[in-house]
Amino acid sequence: RKSARIVGDTMGKYHPHGDSSIYDALVVMAQDFKKGRTLVDGHGNFGSIEGDGAAAMRYTEARLEKLTQDVFLSDLDKNVVDFVPNFDETEKEPVVLPVRIPNLLVNGADGIAVGMATSIPPHNLGEVIDAVKAYMKDNTISVKGLMRYIKGPDFPTGGIVVNKDDLPEIYETGQGKIKIRGKVEVEDLKGGKKQLVITEIPYTMIGAGIGKFLNDVCNLVETKKTTDIVDISNQSSKEGIRIVLELKKGADVENLKNMLYKKTRLEDTFGVNMLAVANGRPETLGLKAIIEHHVDFQFELTTRKYKTLLAKELDADVLIILTAIEKAAIHFGTPEQTWLDDITVAEAKQYIAEGHFAPGSMLPKMQAAVEFAESAPGRQSLITLLEKAREGIQGLTGTRIHLE
């Protein structure tokens, strides 16, 4: 549907603030160069990696990705999370979504609040799930043990982590700096010439950083700090990044690569500060702590889900049992006679036998009650059995049952 409608619904029902901030959030969730896994499937111009803005919301359309529907919204109707009134108390909204994956690690997070900021790099979905499974099998696993599955950040723009030896400490403390280099490939041209092709860039170069890199390279040529570059072109497209530096014959390739790393943003630093809200308070978390909180949350979701399903099954079980009792009681002229007429005990037994009862239901007791009523059709005896059945159901559900 139109992005403008989504923004309007969000602003009117859940978020009484500006429409631009809502649309900006929607756009980011659809940009595959910013998110490890996009959550929104956008149709239209949703911006580019070079910093071009998205088209106005009246032109673009959006829908949820299948991953978002399956992972973020499943079981939302099974009382797995609490709901609270919205700002004007006309709608209900979940306190938190029942997310099945640690999205904080998969898509990362960055933002500034009052007196604090967070910056969490994105990671590979498959690696994160493997690490969660490893923790569930052995919750005493160390951070280094988890790093056998999560090798490091997985930025959507690619890049090479230079200081890999610092990653264990960063994942242990939740703070540190990651040095990222762009990936440079050397291609041979006719006449003995070569060209440098940049196919991956540091995550921090997204947007205006690419244009600044091109300007910095031009400045190196203009200031005569290098004479090896003949031409520069940005051939990037939807297929990916491709920045080409054509070199003169006999150029020192390794020296030029080192100069680009040193003098431009082809090598940059990503500051890590894994600050998140845990149990209602902001806290700097390490890799293991984030996974631990995620697993605890999954345990809570699963517990609440099956409690809800069990309660529904018990309610259905009790309803069938009570109906069967009422139909059986009709044969003996009890007060239930006013409900249905001309129902025999045999028909009641058949009704019970055809019912769908949950395991551990009171079906055997009800069959025994009907059989006893057939052999000894006494009003008082049946009433006594009904009272016992009522007590049994009451103990089963924890609620008081009335036969009316």
Side-chain angles (χ1 to χ4, degrees):
R1 62 181 64 183
K2 283 289 185 182
S3 299
R5 178 179 175 182
I6 298 172
V7 171
D9 288 343
T10 304
M11 184 164 55
K13 294 180 179 180
Y14 308 112
H15 189 77
H17 301 286
D19 58 348
S20 60
S21 60
I22 299 173
Y23 185 53
D24 289 346
L26 175 68
V27 167
V28 169
M29 287 190 287
Q31 293 177 329
D32 58 1
F33 52 85
K34 285 190 178 180
K35 292 295 181 181
R37 298 287 301 199
T38 57
L39 305 180
V40 171
D41 179 16
H43 181 71
N45 178 14
F46 273 79
S48 71
I49 193 172
E50 298 178 18
D52 299 321
M57 68 181 78
R58 62 181 177 274
Y59 298 122
T60 61
E61 298 177 2
R63 63 182 179 182
L64 292 178
E65 292 275 12
K66 189 177 187 305
L67 171 77
T68 313
Q69 299 178 42
D70 296 340
V71 172
F72 281 71
L73 303 177
S74 63
D75 298 331
L76 197 59
D77 59 340
K78 295 181 176 63
N79 192 36
V80 291
V81 294
D82 294 330
F83 279 72
V84 296
N86 66 338
F87 62 93
D88 61 358
E89 298 187 352
T90 59
E91 301 277 348
K92 292 282 189 179
E93 59 182 344
V95 175
V96 63
L97 292 177
V99 186
R100 311 301 297 192
I101 62 172
N103 187 58
L104 198 63
L105 289 175
V106 174
N107 274 326
D110 64 277
I112 300 173
V114 180
M116 61 189 71
T118 184
S119 179
I120 302 175
H123 295 80
N124 181 272
L125 175 61
E127 293 180 356
V128 170
I129 291 177
D130 289 342
V132 171
K133 290 165 62 178
Y135 173 83
M136 293 175 68
K137 292 178 181 178
D138 178 17
N139 60 8
T140 63
I141 190 172
S142 64
V143 170
K144 288 186 177 179
L146 291 172
M147 288 186 65
R148 290 202 299 267
Y149 306 94
I150 300 178
K151 310 296 183 181
D154 184 19
F155 295 103
T157 56
I160 302 168
V161 176
V162 179
N163 58 334
K164 292 182 180 179
D165 294 338
D166 295 338
L167 289 179
E169 183 181 355
I170 292 173
Y171 282 137
E172 187 76 49
T173 62
Q175 292 180 320
K177 293 182 178 180
I178 300 176
K179 289 184 179 179
I180 318 168
R181 280 183 177 178
K183 184 177 180 180
V184 182
E185 299 175 351
V186 181
E187 295 181 356
D188 295 325
L189 301 176
K190 295 180 180 179
K193 290 184 178 182
K194 296 183 178 181
Q195 66 181 16
L196 298 181
V197 180
I198 301 169
T199 56
E200 298 178 8
I201 61 174
Y203 189 60
T204 51
M205 270 182 64
I206 290 177
I210 296 179
K212 188 176 186 308
F213 169 75
L214 297 176
N215 289 333
D216 290 342
V217 174
C218 291
N219 289 334
L220 292 177
V221 176
E222 291 174 357
T223 57
K224 306 296 183 182
K225 291 183 179 180
T226 180
T227 57
D228 292 337
I229 300 176
V230 176
D231 186 33
I232 180 172
S233 60
N234 183 7
Q235 301 175 12
S236 303
S237 63
K238 291 183 179 180
E239 307 301 323
I241 291 293
R242 183 178 172 84
I243 300 174
V244 180
L245 305 180
E246 187 178 341
L247 309 182
K248 69 179 184 181
K249 188 174 182 178
D252 188 343
V253 175
E254 290 302 319
N255 181 61
L256 179 58
K257 285 169 65 176
N258 291 331
M259 179 180 291
L260 292 176
Y261 288 138
K262 184 177 180 180
K263 299 292 186 180
T264 70
R265 295 187 65 181
L266 194 58
E267 178 177 311
D268 208 352
T269 301
F270 182 90
V272 177
N273 184 26
M274 299 168 72
L275 182 73
V277 177
N279 298 323
R281 53 175 292 183
E283 184 178 348
T284 301
L285 303 172
L287 176 64
K288 182 178 178 179
I290 291 178
I291 293 178
E292 182 179 1
H293 279 290
H294 169 71
V295 172
D296 290 343
F297 181 55
Q298 297 308 307
F299 180 81
E300 178 186 350
L301 293 179
T302 305
T303 302
R304 292 184 60 163
K305 172 184 175 179
Y306 286 105
K307 279 186 176 180
T308 301
L309 293 177
L310 177 61
K312 288 183 178 179
E313 288 297 322
L314 290 177
D315 288 344
D317 201 13
V318 169
L319 178 61
I320 294 174
I321 292 170
L322 288 177
T323 305
I325 293 174
E326 291 169 351
K327 291 184 176 181
I330 291 171
H331 181 74
F332 301 100
T334 58
E336 284 77 15
Q337 182 73 43
T338 56
W339 267 65
L340 293 171
D341 295 328
D342 302 324
I343 302 294
T344 65
V345 174
E347 291 172 344
K349 283 182 63 176
Q350 183 180 357
Y351 179 87
I352 295 175
E354 292 176 352
H356 299 285
F357 290 83
S361 72
M362 296 181 63
L363 176 58
K365 292 184 179 180
M366 294 303 101
Q367 288 176 328
V370 174
E371 290 171 1
F372 178 78
E374 281 182 320
S375 61
R379 179 189 176 98
Q380 189 59 44
S381 297
L382 181 60
I383 291 176
T384 302
L385 282 174
L386 291 175
E387 290 295 334
K388 289 183 178 180
R390 182 190 292 113
E391 292 172 3
I393 297 169
Q394 185 172 330
L396 180 68
T397 62
T399 58
R400 185 171 179 80
I401 304 296
H402 295 280
L403 292 178
E404 298 177 352

